[in-house]
Amino acid sequence: MFFWYLGAGCALLLVTLGPRRIDYRLALLGLVLPLADVVIRILAYPHSRLGVHLYLHTFLFALVLALAVMTFLRGATARRWFVVPMAVVIHLLLAGMLGDPVGLFWPLLGSHFARLPAGVRLVGRVLPLSGGDIVREVLGIAALVYIAVAFGLDRPPARKEFLRSGTLASRRGAPQGAG
């Protein structure tokens, strides 16, 4: 799944933090960053029965990101980049990691990751093949389209401003300079 994390994650950030408080470009990065576990799984463990929730789907990864931001960045730059570990935590919630506390709190509660159940292939965990996964992907796309239209990203000036600053218009449908 891909669009589920982007759409649902952006909607959660928008509801909790508002349109102008964070850089949504960095939020989008943080929302998909844990998906790099798929590449790690394929390259590092090609013949194992491991699932796709590995190192980047842990609270430790989000904590290391937050500590890196706090250690190496200062002031406005640190505040702008702190959304990346926040978005990673939102990804973990949307991925259902609360149902896998051993994986979520790795290595604190154990040193192993979840394995694929018998008969389940890796492709079924990566691509949205089940009905529920397809519904979530469609909901994610719908949320992204709604946010884009509601905040005027279908218009070139607002889109250009978003690409420059990462923030959304303060009022839905308002010109970027207003409000």
Side-chain angles (χ1 to χ4, degrees), residues 3-176:
F3 293 108
W4 166 246
Y5 299 118
L6 291 175
C10 275
L12 284 171
L13 285 168
L14 190 59
V15 167
T16 57
L17 297 177
R20 299 195 62 85
R21 292 187 62 194
I22 63 171
D23 187 334
Y24 280 89
R25 299 168 303 174
L26 295 175
L28 292 170
L29 170 69
L31 288 168
V32 296
L33 192 57
L35 294 177
D37 266 346
V38 174
V39 176
I40 292 170
R41 162 55 173 86
I42 291 170
L43 295 178
Y45 307 104
H47 301 294
S48 77
R49 295 291 303 156
L50 284 176
V52 292
H53 293 162
L54 302 174
Y55 309 103
L56 304 184
H57 277 84
T58 64
F59 190 68
L60 178 65
F61 175 66
L63 182 63
V64 167
L65 279 176
L67 289 174
V69 167
M70 291 187 299
T71 302
F72 298 112
L73 302 175
R74 295 285 177 250
T77 304
R79 284 189 297 277
R80 186 172 73 242
W81 279 87
F82 201 75
V83 72
V84 175
M86 287 176 20
V88 167
V89 170
I90 289 174
H91 176 104
L92 297 178
L93 293 172
L94 293 172
M97 291 304 294
L98 291 176
D100 179 16
V102 173
L104 179 63
F105 294 108
W106 175 90
L108 189 62
L109 298 179
S111 60
H112 63 282
F113 291 109
R115 298 195 167 285
L116 293 173
V120 174
R121 299 187 54 198
L122 183 63
V123 70
R125 295 294 188 187
V126 175
L127 299 176
L129 299 176
S130 73
D133 290 343
I134 292 170
V135 167
R136 281 192 290 268
E137 285 292 276
V138 169
L139 288 173
I141 291 170
L144 288 172
V145 168
Y146 173 78
I147 291 168
V149 171
F151 289 95
L153 297 180
D154 54 336
R155 295 189 308 270
R159 189 170 46 251
K160 184 177 178 183
E161 178 62 22
F162 173 77
L163 293 173
R164 185 189 65 73
S165 69
T167 60
L168 299 168
S170 60
R171 287 196 321 245
R172 295 181 184 170
Q176 200 67 7

